[in-house]
Amino acid sequence: MINVPRGTQDLLPGETEKWQYVEEKFKALCHTYNYHEIRTPIFEHTELFQRGVGDTTDIVQKEMYTFTDRGERSLTLRPEGTASVVRSFVQHKLFGHPTQPTKLFYIGPMFRYERPQQGRMRQFVQFGVEALGSADPAIDAEVIGLAMNLYQSLGLKSLKLVINSLGDAESRNNHRHALVEHFKPHIHEFCSDCQIRLEKNPLRILDCKKDKDHPAMQTAPSILDYLNDESQAYFAQVKSYLDHMGIDYVVDKKLVRGLDYYNHTAFEIMSDADGFGAITTLSGGGRYNGLVEDLGGPETPGIGFALSVERLLMALDAEKIALPLDQALDGYVVAMGDNAVKKAVEIVYNLRQAGIQVDKDYQGKKFKAQFKAADRLKAKFVIVLGEDELAKQVVSVKDMTTGDQQEIPIDSIATEMKQLIQGGKA
Ligand code: HAM
């Protein structure tokens, strides 16, 4: 027997309906916020993530599914969506479009070679949005608002929004010097990756999974103490918008995020529900002014976030929220006798053409067993067709909620069933 690869999963009926439900919610919300869908390839040139996500990040150093194709190109299964969206924005010159900012959303699988555990998969599905072309702190608040809005509209309550500012280039540079000074005396106690990071990108030391308990981590200088006036003012404005929107948050000066492209606003939404696993981050995002230029485009600010559906559904489970899924079937046709069984094929086809959701037996089941099947499928109406009914050119329709039964001419079955289903009189 061959099973799914480690860190991946099959989604079976019963589960897929939940995925469809949250997907529709997310799409509807993006529509409300005026974000439009973008679909980019699942694999990209490896260089895109090396340059975009950053070659000292864990994602690029340890987690990418990279392969050489038959044309000797190095390709990578996308570990996240932002780099691809920005690549596409540059490639198709979306910056030249008269409507700015360009507000995009995406839904799709991402791949990271991580150690699997609950809420951490090697293939997971992200919902994400990216707003490109505005450096207005109001759009930071909009993106955060959209993320919170999605969770809240699904009924989640145990949410914690954590924000921080990573500042502009000048602030980051000052912070970088402070980090080097801070970590230098201890660096021989850190992992080999961190030793390289000290020179190349000391901020990445702060999210090293191996060295997270080293005492020097606790006392590391915070970026918030190095923000210049401009960066402080920007952060203050984002917070002020959140206050006005009634969105609660806490500032966590240790939040740095694991990808290199961030500056100014960084945020994560966590679940603090009891019973939610060890990993509590539901989504993360932030501003990435400079990424568009890094990927060959004109100077364009950007901000976005992404969440994984796996963790969203875990949070719903932890808060015992059942999604309002309609799993009942409109109708089930029960037929007895050779001619009726044949006629049933035509009847279900006609009903389905009229958009009515029906099913029938395909296993030669007896009358009683057909009724049982209808029951199991939670059919709202059972449409009975026996030899008697066939002779009269009618079907006998039983409303399974009220027990009411009535005859309907086969000729007008589609229109009359529609009325019945909508609650009208036949
Ligand atoms: P990220 O923090 O790496 O950011 O991932 C965003 C979200 O994806 C996480 O909060 C988590 O819900 C989910 N996620 C990440 N890795 C896994 C995994 N192995 N298994 C399950 N879920 C996972 C980004 O990816 C950025 N592109 C977000 C962004 C968009 N920033 C700006 N725009």
Side-chain angles (χ1 to χ4, degrees):
M1 193 175 67
I2 299 171
N3 290 332
V4 292
R6 200 163 127 77
T8 71
Q9 63 177 338
D10 294 320
L11 297 170
L12 305 178
E15 197 61 27
T16 45
E17 289 80 1
K18 293 185 198 163
W19 284 70
Q20 287 164 1
Y21 183 88
V22 294
E23 216 170 280
E24 288 313 315
K25 269 271 177 193
F26 176 62
K27 282 185 185 163
L29 199 65
C30 287
H31 181 75
T32 308
Y33 280 72
N34 194 30
Y35 284 70
H36 296 270
E37 188 177 7
I38 180 164
R39 300 186 190 195
T40 60
I42 293 215
F43 58 82
E44 297 269 2
H45 292 290
T46 303
E47 193 194 345
L48 173 66
F49 304 113
Q50 288 168 337
R51 269 167 56 189
V53 176
D55 51 16
T56 50
T57 59
D58 269 2
I59 293 181
V60 170
Q61 288 192 334
K62 300 176 191 165
E63 297 172 359
M64 295 207 302
Y65 280 91
T66 297
F67 59 97
T68 308
D69 77 358
R70 288 169 194 276
E72 298 298 318
R73 297 170 198 90
S74 177
L75 299 171
T76 294
L77 299 184
R78 61 180 183 195
E80 61 107 45
T82 311
S84 303
V85 169
V86 171
R87 186 224 13 93
S88 184
F89 176 83
V90 172
Q91 181 174 342
H92 301 285
K93 300 190 171 58
L94 299 186
F95 45 80
H97 199 274
T99 330
Q100 295 300 337
T102 303
K103 304 207 297 184
L104 304 165
F105 80 85
Y106 50 91
I107 297 177
M110 307 292 161
F111 306 85
R112 294 185 194 176
Y113 190 79
E114 292 195 85
R115 202 151 50 84
Q117 66 183 85
Q118 202 196 11
R120 186 189 287 152
M121 305 288 294
R122 289 183 174 168
Q123 176 175 332
F124 56 96
V125 173
Q126 275 190 350
F127 290 170
V129 309
E130 311 293 347
L132 293 135
S134 169
D136 183 342
I139 203 138
D140 302 41
E142 171 177 296
V143 166
I144 295 172
L146 190 159
M148 291 301 284
N149 209 172
L150 177 69
Y151 291 124
Q152 284 162 346
S153 71
L154 290 166
L156 289 173
K157 295 209 161 58
S158 302
L159 299 167
K160 190 169 126 191
L161 168 64
V162 180
I163 60 170
N164 193 18
S165 170
L166 301 177
D168 61 6
E170 185 189 64
S171 313
R172 288 164 61 99
N173 213 21
N174 292 338
H175 182 229
R176 184 194 160 100
H177 287 304
L179 286 172
V180 172
E181 289 310 306
H182 175 78
F183 283 116
K184 220 182 213 162
H186 313 279
I187 200 67
H188 57 281
E189 295 157 19
F190 279 66
C191 71
S192 55
D193 288 329
C194 283
Q195 294 182 8
I196 297 167
R197 286 167 178 154
L198 185 73
E199 297 302 321
K200 283 184 137 180
N201 191 357
L203 191 70
R204 285 281 73 85
I205 298 177
L206 297 177
D207 53 37
C208 176
K209 287 173 192 139
K210 273 193 204 146
D211 294 318
K212 65 179 192 317
D213 297 323
H214 192 287
M217 289 289 214
Q218 299 309 313
T219 52
S222 159
I223 176 74
L224 279 190
D225 300 326
Y226 292 85
L227 294 186
N228 59 16
D229 291 349
E230 241 178 26
S231 300
Q232 273 181 32
Y234 193 91
F235 192 39
Q237 280 200 56
V238 174
K239 289 188 290 185
S240 157
Y241 281 126
L242 292 176
D243 291 337
H244 282 102
M245 289 156 80
I247 298 175
D248 291 335
Y249 56 85
V250 288
V251 175
D252 178 356
K253 56 186 192 175
K254 288 209 161 76
L255 179 75
V256 294
R257 309 271 304 127
L259 304 93
D260 271 353
Y261 45 63
Y262 291 115
N263 41 58
H264 289 290
T265 316
F267 70 97
E268 288 188 351
I269 300 170
M270 337 278 278
S271 167
D272 51 16
D274 290 340
F276 194 77
I279 297 176
T280 54
T281 306
L282 294 177
S283 54
R287 186 161 273 288
Y288 46 82
N289 301 348
L291 182 59
V292 176
E293 293 97 299
D294 287 348
L295 296 176
E299 194 180 323
T300 311
I303 176 151
F305 89 97
L307 64 88
S308 75
V309 181
E310 287 80 358
R311 291 190 196 172
L312 166 62
L313 295 177
M314 269 170 61
L316 290 169
D317 276 353
E319 292 198 35
K320 301 194 172 45
I321 295 168
L323 297 174
L325 304 176
D326 180 13
Q327 283 166 329
L329 195 67
D330 284 340
Y332 192 90
V333 177
V334 166
M336 284 162 298
D338 288 349
N339 293 327
V341 165
K342 281 190 190 131
K343 186 72 180 174
V345 174
E346 179 191 319
I347 288 176
V348 292
Y349 186 63
N350 289 339
L351 288 170
R352 287 165 175 171
Q353 276 188 314
I356 300 168
Q357 182 206 28
V358 287
D359 212 342
K360 69 179 283 299
D361 169 63
Y362 292 102
Q363 295 184 295
K365 280 195 178 132
K366 300 251 158 52
F367 180 67
K368 247 189 160 164
Q370 289 186 41
F371 252 99
K372 234 187 207 161
D375 204 38
R376 206 172 293 128
L377 291 168
K378 302 191 183 79
K380 293 171 196 153
F381 293 91
V382 174
I383 301 157
V384 182
L385 182 64
E387 298 296 345
D388 286 354
E389 282 88 359
L390 196 56
K392 285 179 10 197
Q393 285 295 297
V394 297
V395 289
S396 168
V397 178
K398 186 171 178 187
D399 182 328
M400 299 305 279
T401 328
T402 60
D404 290 352
Q405 206 154 338
Q406 61 183 296
E407 286 188 348
I408 286 178
I410 290 178
D411 270 359
S412 54
I413 186 166
T415 23
E416 301 210 19
M417 277 308 299
K418 244 185 197 161
Q419 280 175 344
L420 274 180
I421 289 161
Q422 285 158 6
K425 283 261 172 283

